[in-house]
Every structure is written in structure tokens, then in C-alpha cells.
Amino acid sequence: MNHPSELKYARTHEWIKVEGDLVVTGISDHAQDALGDLVYVEAPEVGQRVTAGEQAGVVESVKTASDIHAPVSGVVVEVNPDLEDDPDFINDAPYGKGWIYKINPDHLSDVDSLLSSTDYEAGL
């Protein structure tokens, strides 16, 4: 599996990347591989408050549906508009074009409590 070392990971299979004061999030390569071909993404809405560890959306594949959990608490400031028409971006590039949403976190330091790629892979 491909899990970039510059990212942080939640035990619930979301990844995050810090961009300035924002946190970009999506689902890991492991998660998208387990789900199979994605057909629908229900992302949180812009302006929605999300809480770390709680459901923030859903991804659906031809096999099943799975919750997306917020890796940190904060307010959603942007959602990937490309996923509405092409949810398979997550399958093709989970750490690139397949990002799901961006959060303005309550505390950027909360990122430090997430897993490194090594620790995430060890828990798979």
C-alpha cells in the first residue's frame, strides 16, 4: 500500500495534510482499496462543524458504504467539487485529486495526536 510519510492518519483510515492553517483530508489508499470502485461521496457541507472521531460523511462503493470520520475538530471550509461527478478520483489518486474536504481546525496542534504512516501501517 501507498501511505505517504508526510501525511498523518486516523485509525478510522482518513489521512490529513496541513496546508497553512487548514487541514486537507481524504481516505487512505488502504481504505479505498478495501471499498473497491467508489460510486458516490457524501462530503460534509461548507460551514459544517465537525468533531474529531465523529462521522462527517459517507463514501459508497459497488460493494458497500462506509462512514468518513473527521480526523480533527473544526469547520469545513471547502469540499472537493470534482468528486460529485467523478468519485473514482479517490480510487485513482486518494492523496491527490481524491481529497474530500478541508477543515479550519479548532486547534492545529490536534494533528500531532494522529498516526504517522509507519504507525498507521503497523495497525493494518
Side-chain angles (χ1 to χ4, degrees):
M1 290 286 142
N2 173 29
H3 302 106
S5 62
E6 68 273 12
L7 304 178
K8 292 285 208 164
Y9 300 84
R11 292 187 194 285
T12 51
H13 307 292
E14 293 81 19
W15 60 264
I16 64 121
K17 177 170 110 178
V18 176
E19 287 186 348
D21 293 338
L22 301 179
V23 172
V24 181
T25 190
I27 63 169
S28 71
D29 189 40
H30 171 78
Q32 71 77 27
D33 186 57
L35 287 166
D37 293 333
L38 294 176
V39 295
Y40 177 72
V41 177
E42 180 184 312
E45 297 196 15
V46 172
Q48 180 179 335
R49 171 162 283 288
V50 294
T51 302
E54 294 188 7
Q55 181 184 353
V58 176
V59 288
E60 294 181 12
S61 72
V62 294
K63 294 194 281 187
T64 188
S66 182
D67 292 342
I68 303 168
H69 297 86
V72 296
S73 297
V75 176
V76 176
V77 295
E78 187 177 348
V79 173
N80 186 342
D82 297 328
L83 296 181
E84 188 171 325
D85 293 328
D86 292 311
D88 59 340
F89 280 148
I90 294 174
N91 294 118
D92 297 338
Y95 304 116
K97 294 189 316 186
W99 65 274
I100 300 173
Y101 61 101
K102 296 180 182 181
I103 303 170
N104 183 357
D106 292 342
H107 307 284
L108 196 54
S109 61
D110 289 347
V111 169
D112 297 335
S113 67
L114 297 170
L115 302 170
S116 68
S117 62
T118 303
D119 291 339
Y120 175 69
E121 289 174 3
L124 294 179

